């Protein structure tokens, strides 16, 4: 049976488009694979504390030489890393906030990344692991738009997850999510609705394809 690790980070609760699309993915996954396991982290409702110096530097100290304080500070990082390692697929809701990712998601990544264990290392336990990122955007950052090049979330996660950690990354991108909220964007409502609908379709298709790849569908 396959295990899905589902991470949400939006602050917007039921109004969140990224949560809406990750939910569609998860529901499709569970419908096709009812006997599987889903591990869920809501980083907005239950955020990890910012990474401390003690927790950061403990990764460079051999286990036998760690102090009790270092072991206690390092334990949550080991838990996060093991959670990702155990998962067959990872689903991340990552809305674009102020041109980058939510601070809660950055903190989760700070816990996860360990040079020598899973980053910049041969035979990483995360190599090739399938991760789907739903990155919603209030506007559009596509080529030719006024905001082209100002999305620093997509390239960051693409490099970090796919490059440093060696995971197999795909993005689902619902755009123009503020079109029904911001009056100046009212002319973009049709495009926004189409982008949102496509994101839901992509989420369902991605869940089905991943389960087929894993031999679980």
């Amino acid at each position: 049976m396959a295990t899905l690790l589902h991470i949400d980070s939006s602050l917007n609760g039921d109004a969140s488009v990224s949560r809406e699309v990750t939910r569609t993915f998860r529901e499709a996954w569970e419908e096709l694979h009812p006997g599987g396991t889903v591990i869920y982290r809501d980083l907005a409702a239950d955020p990890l504390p910012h990474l401390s110096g003690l927790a950061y530097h403990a990764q460079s100290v051999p286990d036998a030489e760690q102090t009790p304080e270092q072991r206690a500070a390092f334990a949550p990082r080991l838990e996060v890393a093991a959670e990702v390692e155990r998962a067959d697929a990872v689903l991340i809701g990552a809305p674009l906030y102020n041109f980058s990712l939510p601070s809660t998601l950055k903190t989760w990544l700070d816990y996860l990344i360990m040079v020598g264990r899973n980053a910049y290392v041969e035979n990483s336990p995360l190599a090739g692991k399938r991760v789907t990122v739903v990155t919603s955007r209030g506007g559009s950052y596509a080529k030719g738009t006024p905001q082209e090049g100002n999305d620093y979330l997509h390239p960051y996660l693409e490099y970090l997850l796919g490059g440093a950690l060696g995971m197999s990354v795909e993005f689902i991108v619902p755009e123009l999510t503020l079109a029904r909220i911001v009056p100046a964007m009212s002319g973009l409502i049709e495009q926004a609705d189409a982008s949102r609908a496509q994101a839901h379709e992509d989420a369902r298709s991605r869940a089905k394809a991943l389960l087929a790849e894993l031999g679980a569908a």
Side-chain angles (χ1 to χ4, degrees):
M1 295 296 179
T3 296
L4 173 69
L5 174 60
H6 175 187
I7 308 289
D8 274 327
S9 61
S10 172
L11 301 173
N12 291 327
D14 292 340
S16 164
V17 174
S18 67
R19 287 177 182 271
E20 184 183 296
V21 176
T22 59
R23 184 166 57 249
T24 290
F25 181 109
R26 177 173 170 171
E27 288 173 352
W29 177 284
E30 291 176 325
E31 181 180 349
L32 293 166
H33 191 51
T37 299
V38 176
I39 300 168
Y40 183 59
R41 275 188 183 264
D42 186 336
L43 298 177
D46 189 19
L48 294 163
H50 286 299
L51 190 64
S52 68
L54 197 63
Y56 178 77
H57 292 294
Q59 68 182 356
S60 304
V61 180
D63 292 351
E65 298 176 21
Q66 289 181 2
T67 66
E69 292 78 14
Q70 286 174 320
R71 281 194 291 274
F74 194 47
R77 297 191 65 194
L78 293 174
E79 179 184 349
V80 167
E83 210 167 58
V84 179
E85 289 166 9
R86 287 196 303 268
D88 296 288
V90 181
L91 172 66
I92 301 175
L96 184 69
Y97 288 165
N98 299 318
F99 309 106
S100 186
L101 68 167
S103 62
T104 53
L105 180 55
K106 176 61 167 62
T107 298
W108 179 80
L109 290 166
D110 286 340
Y111 275 58
L112 171 64
I113 301 161
M114 297 185 206
V115 176
R117 175 176 174 138
N118 56 30
Y120 305 111
V121 61
E122 290 187 18
N123 302 317
S124 166
L126 302 185
K129 192 176 295 289
R130 299 153 177 86
V131 55
T132 304
V133 179
V134 177
T135 173
S136 52
R137 307 164 174 172
S140 177
Y141 294 76
K143 187 175 182 179
T145 65
Q147 292 288 1
E148 178 185 355
N150 290 333
D151 171 9
Y152 296 97
L153 183 156
H154 191 294
Y156 172 74
L157 291 182
E158 187 168 43
Y159 170 72
L160 183 65
L161 298 172
L165 298 177
M167 302 173 82
S168 176
V169 190
E170 285 200 22
F171 288 83
I172 297 173
V173 187
E175 290 196 319
L176 303 168
T177 62
L178 292 176
R180 289 186 174 275
I181 301 170
V182 177
M185 295 178 65
S186 61
L188 299 171
I189 288 176
E190 185 175 344
Q191 290 174 247
D193 289 349
S195 179
R196 194 169 185 163
Q198 185 62 56
H200 282 283
E201 180 58 35
D202 290 345
R204 284 186 285 267
S205 297
R206 174 70 170 160
K208 181 178 180 180
L210 281 179
L211 285 168
E213 288 176 26
L214 294 168

